[in-house]
Amino acid sequence: MQFLDIHDKDFNQKFAAILSRGEETGREVEQVVLDIISAVRQRGDGAVLEYTNRFDRLDAKGVSELQVSDEEIDYAFARCKSEDIDALKLAVERVARFHEKQKQETWLSTEESDIMLGQMVTPLQRVGIYVPGGKASYPSSVIMNAVPAKVAGVPEVIMVAPTPGGEINPHVLVAARLSGVDRIFRLGGAQAVAALAYGTATIPKVDKITGPGNIYVATAKKLVFGQVGIDMIAGPSEILVINDGSGTPAHIAADLLSQAEHDELASSILITTDRGFGKKVAQEVERQLALLSRESIARASWDKFGAIISASDLDEVIEFSNRIAPEHLELAVSDPFAILPKIKNAGAIFMGHFTPEAAGDYLAGPNHTLPTGGTARFFSPLSVDDFVKKSSIVYFSESGLNRLGRQIVRIAQLEGLEAHGKSVSIRLGEQQ
């Protein structure tokens, strides 16, 4: 962890390592992924089975064995505590309620009596959601990806999740059924992305792939983009906490560690106008670190990519925040609503001292799939919009074309596109 002052001459240089973490994919990773994609395209199920057995230590005889059965999901429900199922149900209900408000309907405009214009909103027909496995299991990722798709009206949601050793977390399966997932495959890595993008005899081709994964998954999504849609290229998780010296240091320390425990590349940053408060937070982080079951991961993240930054006033703090465009932004200040209008770039904004980022991760309602690495400057959280497409509707009556046709022809002539103009003028009776 670094103690920094925003006025230090070498501040930008010292902070650069945090900003650039996770940027380099590496040619070796990209080549491995390209080889996997090529193999899946050429050999379909055979390549999928080979890679899955190798990487996840399975012994499946066919890809059909990788599909999770209804009986397995029933068994997962039986293994889960009723209180856990109730919590997941509540999360699904709240996330669905929030995303319902994002829905847009097809609309038509008849402002002109002889021309009708509009937009048709149509759900994607089939999407694939990637749910990480390995170091941790994330039922919340299932909910955040599947529920918006179902709210949007997507008929078929295919879920893939790696299962090292063949095990799959029962809470993930429970969340999948509660969220309306239609089919689940024990399948991860670049081979899962390639199978969803191009389709195999067993894995259906999808229109879009969403959900986070490791560097191989992120690279695969990047490489298949264009063949299918993707949500975003998600990098390591990050949190920025803005503070004015108010609040409880232990609370803010816990919030910083909530990101640090994700993985070794996660970044947790506090920027405060009270340097003394920052020191107290640092002490609390050290105390709480020793109590975490994922201490080694959180400590690696905190030591290398954690920072406590002091600034003169909140205007400096806000300018810094807008510059780095954090994934998670906590406004741990006495009056968060006063500075909210000044925030221009953030994936999700958590207001006040009693809104920890974890509330948004699980069941507040908004989506926790957020832009990382400064991409909140131009990307938005996953939403219903990611699971629909929009088509423009144009209708001209004869009088409408007669009224505007000559201007259409004139613009076509400006561009030197004779056939464009003729397709209109011939209807006006001016050319044959």
Side-chain angles (χ1 to χ4, degrees), residues 185-261:
F185 290 91
R186 294 182 181 84
L187 182 61
Q191 66 270 24
V193 175
L196 291 172
Y198 294 98
T200 72
T202 306
I203 311 294
K205 174 182 168 64
V206 302
D207 300 316
K208 191 166 192 174
I209 301 170
T210 70
N214 63 20
I215 191 170
Y216 292 92
V217 172
T219 302
K221 287 173 66 177
K222 180 180 179 180
L223 292 173
V224 301
F225 175 63
Q227 176 68 27
V228 292
I230 61 171
D231 49 352
M232 62 187 80
I233 306 296
S237 189
E238 61 204 30
I239 186 171
L240 174 66
V241 180
I242 287 178
N243 176 259
D244 58 0
S246 65
T248 305
H251 295 175
I252 291 175
D255 294 351
L256 294 171
L257 289 175
S258 73
Q259 289 307 297
E261 73 173 352

Side-chain angles (χ1 to χ4, degrees), residues 311-352:
S312 299
D313 53 46
L314 283 177
D315 285 338
E316 279 187 348
V317 170
I318 292 165
E319 189 280 329
F320 172 81
S321 175
N322 284 333
R323 178 161 61 89
I324 68 170
E327 176 190 15
H328 304 99
L329 175 63
E330 286 192 4
L331 304 184
V333 297
S334 56
D335 187 1
F337 291 94
I339 66 173
L340 179 62
K342 299 179 181 180
I343 302 299
K344 305 303 179 187
N345 302 318
I349 304 168
F350 303 87
M351 309 280 289

Side-chain angles (χ1 to χ4, degrees), residues 149-301:
K150 285 301 182 180
V151 168
V154 175
E156 190 174 9
V157 174
I158 309 297
M159 180 178 123
V160 294
T163 58
E167 290 296 318
I168 187 166
N169 186 288
H171 300 104
V172 167
L173 296 181
V174 168
R177 177 172 286 177
L178 294 175
S179 302
V181 171
D182 297 283
R183 298 173 70 185
I184 305 169
F185 290 91
R186 294 182 181 84
L187 182 61
Q191 66 270 24
V193 175
L196 291 172
Y198 294 98
T200 72
T202 306
I203 311 294
K205 174 182 168 64
V206 302
D207 300 316
K208 191 166 192 174
I209 301 170
T210 70
N214 63 20
I215 191 170
Y216 292 92
V217 172
T219 302
K221 287 173 66 177
K222 180 180 179 180
L223 292 173
V224 301
F225 175 63
Q227 176 68 27
V228 292
I230 61 171
D231 49 352
M232 62 187 80
I233 306 296
S237 189
E238 61 204 30
I239 186 171
L240 174 66
V241 180
I242 287 178
N243 176 259
D244 58 0
S246 65
T248 305
H251 295 175
I252 291 175
D255 294 351
L256 294 171
L257 289 175
S258 73
Q259 289 307 297
E261 73 173 352
H262 265 296
D263 65 64
E264 293 86 348
L265 289 174
S267 174
S268 304
I269 300 168
L270 167 66
I271 181 165
T272 179
T273 57
D274 186 334
R275 185 175 180 83
F277 186 90
K279 290 181 178 180
K280 292 177 182 178
V281 171
Q283 292 169 356
E284 269 297 322
V285 168
E286 288 301 321
R287 185 187 70 81
Q288 294 182 30
L289 259 173
L291 305 175
L292 289 178
S293 60
R294 293 168 65 87
E295 178 190 0
S296 60
I297 294 172
R299 185 171 293 281
S301 164

Side-chain angles (χ1 to χ4, degrees), residues 59-73:
D59 190 27
K61 300 300 186 291
V63 175
S64 60
E65 293 181 28
L66 301 178
Q67 182 165 348
V68 176
S69 67
D70 288 340
E71 291 74 20
E72 288 177 272
I73 302 175

